[in-house]
Amino acid sequence: MGAVVSELCVDARDPRAQARWWAEVLGWRVVLDPDDDEVVELVPPDGAATPWLFARVPEAKQVKNRLHVDLRPRDGEDQAGELARLLALGATRVDVGQAEVAWHVLADPEGNEFCLLHRTPAEVAADEHPA
């Protein structure tokens, strides 16, 4: 039996701003402690995913992430629409040497890379479990 992931921790110069930005991206809820500006939690509304914890650090991001998040468009949406939404929220395009691929590499407001994949969860599930 393996360990259980409690939360994903993300270093941030501004934990509240980062948590709010990702809450908008994911549709999750920010949990603030009014007495603590150093750590902010981001939780999924249904509890079905691992919470994220944004912790204040003094330095800006310096190099490419060693760990990143892959996002998919929601069922009923498409990659182009989701890309437009993410860019409108403040994501930026990033070149990490990916060449021509079916996904987009983006960065959040503090420069953390993440990917927007092409297919929705339902499309992936249909390929894994054909009727």
Side-chain angles (χ1 to χ4, degrees):
M1 180 165 228
V4 175
V5 176
S6 173
E7 55 210 6
L8 174 70
C9 298
V10 181
D11 288 350
R13 294 197 67 188
D14 186 342
R16 286 181 182 224
Q18 279 292 91
R20 286 186 181 115
W21 190 85
W22 279 102
E24 186 71 23
V25 168
L26 299 172
W28 290 15
R29 184 173 53 90
V30 174
V31 179
L32 297 173
D33 179 341
D35 298 322
D36 187 358
D37 279 343
E38 300 299 307
V39 177
V40 178
E41 188 175 25
L42 184 62
V43 297
D46 60 2
T50 300
W52 294 11
L53 191 70
F54 293 88
R56 185 178 307 281
V57 296
E59 70 279 353
K61 181 179 169 293
Q62 300 292 317
V63 298
K64 180 181 172 289
N65 294 3
R66 297 287 303 260
L67 174 72
H68 71 266
V69 177
D70 283 348
L71 302 179
R72 291 192 181 281
R74 294 181 194 275
D75 291 332
E77 302 292 331
D78 64 14
Q79 186 187 44
E82 185 61 12
L83 176 62
R85 186 181 81 88
L86 293 170
L87 292 172
L89 289 173
T92 55
R93 294 176 185 268
V94 178
D95 183 351
V96 294
Q98 66 267 24
E100 292 197 29
V101 293
W103 60 87
H104 296 278
V105 181
L106 304 168
D108 71 15
E110 287 200 9
N112 299 300
E113 298 93 5
F114 64 97
C115 294
L116 173 60
L117 305 178
H118 180 70
R119 299 181 315 150
T120 67
E123 291 168 336
V124 172
D127 284 349
E128 292 174 357
H129 307 288

